[in-house]
């Protein structure tokens, strides 16, 4: 009995220490410094309100200030829902070090734009590693959170708005689950349209002058993880402003399964084995194949990262969740590469695809995405 008590005490001590240990996000690999600005956008017509996070190529300056991972006034509100053991098993975000410079000047050229969505109701800041890396390679990356649909949104003016039960599909099953999922898909893709409208206005006349003329709105890409990936696929099937899209391990939903996508698109998947382990995996893979098989021949890619896990595509899963939790995943064979390795491969695949279709990089075809540097990548045909 005493030995068990000591073991539990040691385990809790380790978890507490880990929770308060600093961690630094992967260093962006591109030539640009990275800036970040936050906007509160309200559409008077539809009454939509969004908290937009913009990462962008920035000018290096001795006076520039590296921003907090989550700005201090917003931090307590966003972490409050993570109560008890979940909060203990997740890194204290005040100990997370990112690389973005607060409201830095943008570099003096026009850049393609990438709209980025997180999974389910997760905050988009969870994908800062991907956003910072893309921005360092010459992209303006725009993520956003929506009040009442994101778990919790803390606005700069102090308002805090949590997700409502009717926007949580996980509370229901069967037909009601699908109904809520498709309704939320419509809401989120409507948000994407609003974000693009706002970016066009910002590009035409930014009151601060920072983004005026700097956004190449003729070269827009969409990328999302999990339910965010389903949103990217649906949006790219219905809005011509999407020039290329990426679904990171998201099960497709909505009309895109029937209509397909007529522009370049990448499905980037975690390791699901041969997709035959259960009926749900078989259905999801059939829906992905239905879309993939109808993509433009010179603009389709289906990639598996061997050893990757669905939940470690984000900062939260790959770096901020306790090493104990990731160790359990490894013990049961659900994670066979490190979180940082998975993030490295993900940023490489996303950047390579967008370089080809948003920048037209001539020296590399996205179909040659396989690399000896990343043997975990398998291209499916």
């Amino acid at each position: 009995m005493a030995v068990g008590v000591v073991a539990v005490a040691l385990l809790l001590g380790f978890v507490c220490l880990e929770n308060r240990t600093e961690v630094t996000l992967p260093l962006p690999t591109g030539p640009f410094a990275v800036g970040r600005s936050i906007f509160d956008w309200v559409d008077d017509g539809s009454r939509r309100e969004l908290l937009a996070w913009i990462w962008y190529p920035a000018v290096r300056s001795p006076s520039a200030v590296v921003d907090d991972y989550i700005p201090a006034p917003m931090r307590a509100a966003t972490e409050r829902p993570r109560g008890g053991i979940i909060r203990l098993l997740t890194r204290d975000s005040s100990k997370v070090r990112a690389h973005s410079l607060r409201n830095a000047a943008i570099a003096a050229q026009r850049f393609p734009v990438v709209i980025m969505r997180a999974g389910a109701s997760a905050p988009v800041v969870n994908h800062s590693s991907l956003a910072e890396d893309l921005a360092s390679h010459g992209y303006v990356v725009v993520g956003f959170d929506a009040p009442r649909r994101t778990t919790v949104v803390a606005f700069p003016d102090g308002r805090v708005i949590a997700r409502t039960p009717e926007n949580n599909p996980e509370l229901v099953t069967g037909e009601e689950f699908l109904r809520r999922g498709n309704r939320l898909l419509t809401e989120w893709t409507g948000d994407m349209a609003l974000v693009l409208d706002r970016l066009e206005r910002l590009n035409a006349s930014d009151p601060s002058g920072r983004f005026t003329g700097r956004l190449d709105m003729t070269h827009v890409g969409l990328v999302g993880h999990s339910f965010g990936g389903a949103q990217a696929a649906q949006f790219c099937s219905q809005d011509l402003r999407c020039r290329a899209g990426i679904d990171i391990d998201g099960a497709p939903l909505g009309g895109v399964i029937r209509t397909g996508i007529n522009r370049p698109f990448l499905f980037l998947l975690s390791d699901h084995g041969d997709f035959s382990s259960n009926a749900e995996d078989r259905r999801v893979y059939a829906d992905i194949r239905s879309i993939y098989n109808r993509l433009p021949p010179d603009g389709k890619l289906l990639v598996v990262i061997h050893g990757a896990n669905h939940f470690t595509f984000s900062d939260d899963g790959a770096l901020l969740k306790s090493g104990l939790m990731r160790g359990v995943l490894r013990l049961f064979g659900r994670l066979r590469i490190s979180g940082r390795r998975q993030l490295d491969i993900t940023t490489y695949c996303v950047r390579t695809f967008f370089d080809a279709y948003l920048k037209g990089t001539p020296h590399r075809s996205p179909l040659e995405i396989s690399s000896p540097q990343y043997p975990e990548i398998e291209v499916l045909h």
Side-chain angles (χ1 to χ4, degrees):
M1 180 68 176
V3 173
V5 171
V6 171
V8 170
L10 288 173
L11 183 61
L12 287 174
F14 169 79
V15 170
C16 288
L17 179 63
E18 184 183 45
N19 175 266
R20 297 198 57 76
T21 301
E22 289 194 358
V23 63
T24 301
L25 299 188
L27 190 68
T29 59
F32 290 100
V34 178
R36 191 183 72 181
S37 295
I38 302 173
F39 292 85
D40 178 0
W41 285 337
V42 181
D43 180 66
D44 294 332
S46 66
R47 301 185 64 81
R48 293 180 187 271
E49 183 176 17
L50 302 173
L51 184 68
W53 303 69
I54 304 183
W55 293 263
Y56 52 91
V59 177
R60 299 182 189 275
S61 166
S63 62
V65 176
V66 178
D67 209 352
D68 292 335
Y69 183 66
I70 300 175
M74 306 162 68
R75 195 159 53 229
T78 56
E79 292 201 331
R80 195 173 297 126
R82 291 180 168 184
I85 191 65
I86 297 300
R87 184 167 184 173
L88 185 62
L89 290 172
T90 304
R91 191 85 57 167
D92 177 350
S93 64
S94 70
K95 304 299 181 183
V96 181
R97 303 291 172 249
H99 307 282
S100 297
L101 307 176
R102 185 187 308 146
N103 296 325
I106 191 171
Q109 63 185 77
R110 294 174 73 234
F111 299 101
V113 174
V114 171
I115 307 300
M116 183 177 71
R117 280 293 304 127
S121 63
V124 77
V125 73
N126 280 2
H127 291 275
S128 291
S129 293
L130 175 58
E132 288 189 338
D133 193 74
L134 280 172
S136 77
H137 283 272
Y139 292 91
V140 173
V141 182
V142 185
F144 62 91
D145 301 317
R148 301 177 185 84
R149 291 195 294 280
T150 299
T151 300
V152 61
V153 180
F155 287 98
D157 63 6
R159 286 175 301 132
V160 178
I161 304 176
R163 177 170 61 163
T164 55
E166 61 268 24
N167 286 330
N168 186 354
E170 297 169 3
L171 297 178
V172 294
T173 58
E175 289 299 317
E176 179 60 16
F177 176 86
L178 293 175
R179 188 189 71 78
R180 286 195 189 186
N182 283 307
R183 177 178 58 78
L184 286 170
L185 185 69
T186 300
E187 292 291 334
W188 281 116
T189 51
D191 290 340
M192 290 177 173
L194 171 59
V195 166
L196 285 175
D197 291 343
R198 282 303 178 116
L199 289 173
E200 287 167 353
R201 287 167 56 178
L202 202 64
N203 190 47
S205 181
D206 176 6
S208 74
R210 182 179 301 117
F211 293 104
T212 302
R214 294 289 186 261
L215 312 181
D216 182 356
M217 299 302 296
T218 65
H219 290 88
V220 173
L222 275 289
V223 59
H225 170 233
S226 196
F227 187 50
Q231 295 164 33
Q234 180 66 22
F235 188 84
C236 288
S237 75
Q238 64 190 33
D239 196 306
L240 294 177
R241 288 177 291 183
C242 169
R243 289 286 298 269
I246 300 174
D247 177 348
I248 301 176
D249 218 36
L253 289 171
V256 64
I257 299 170
R258 298 184 302 275
T259 63
I261 303 170
N262 65 353
R263 61 215 71 191
F265 204 86
L266 161 65
F267 288 98
L268 183 62
L269 307 179
S270 63
D271 198 338
H272 296 265
D274 61 1
F275 297 92
S276 64
S277 59
N278 58 63
E280 179 66 12
D281 275 355
R282 291 193 294 272
R283 181 192 64 78
V284 170
Y285 189 57
D287 289 343
I288 289 173
R289 274 289 179 184
S290 173
I291 300 169
Y292 172 81
N293 290 340
R294 289 176 289 162
L295 286 167
D298 60 347
K300 61 180 182 180
L301 199 56
L302 179 56
V303 171
V304 171
I305 303 175
H306 288 295
N309 182 275
H310 177 80
F311 296 101
T312 44
F313 279 107
S314 70
D315 305 338
D316 186 61
L319 302 174
L320 309 188
K321 283 289 187 287
S322 170
L324 180 66
M325 296 181 69
R326 296 196 298 273
V328 170
L329 288 174
R330 284 192 292 271
L331 182 64
F332 287 94
R334 303 292 296 175
L335 178 64
R336 297 192 297 279
I337 59 176
S338 74
R340 285 185 181 272
R341 179 73 173 175
Q342 184 168 332
L343 288 178
D344 286 347
I345 299 170
T346 301
T347 55
Y348 161 78
C349 289
V350 170
R351 184 176 69 249
T352 300
F353 189 81
F354 281 148
D355 279 354
Y357 291 113
L358 298 184
K359 291 184 177 180
T361 303
H363 65 275
R364 186 166 181 81
S365 163
L367 300 181
E368 298 170 2
I369 204 166
S370 297
S371 166
Q373 185 179 357
Y374 301 117
E376 297 90 342
I377 293 173
E378 180 184 2
V379 178
L380 303 182
H381 299 287

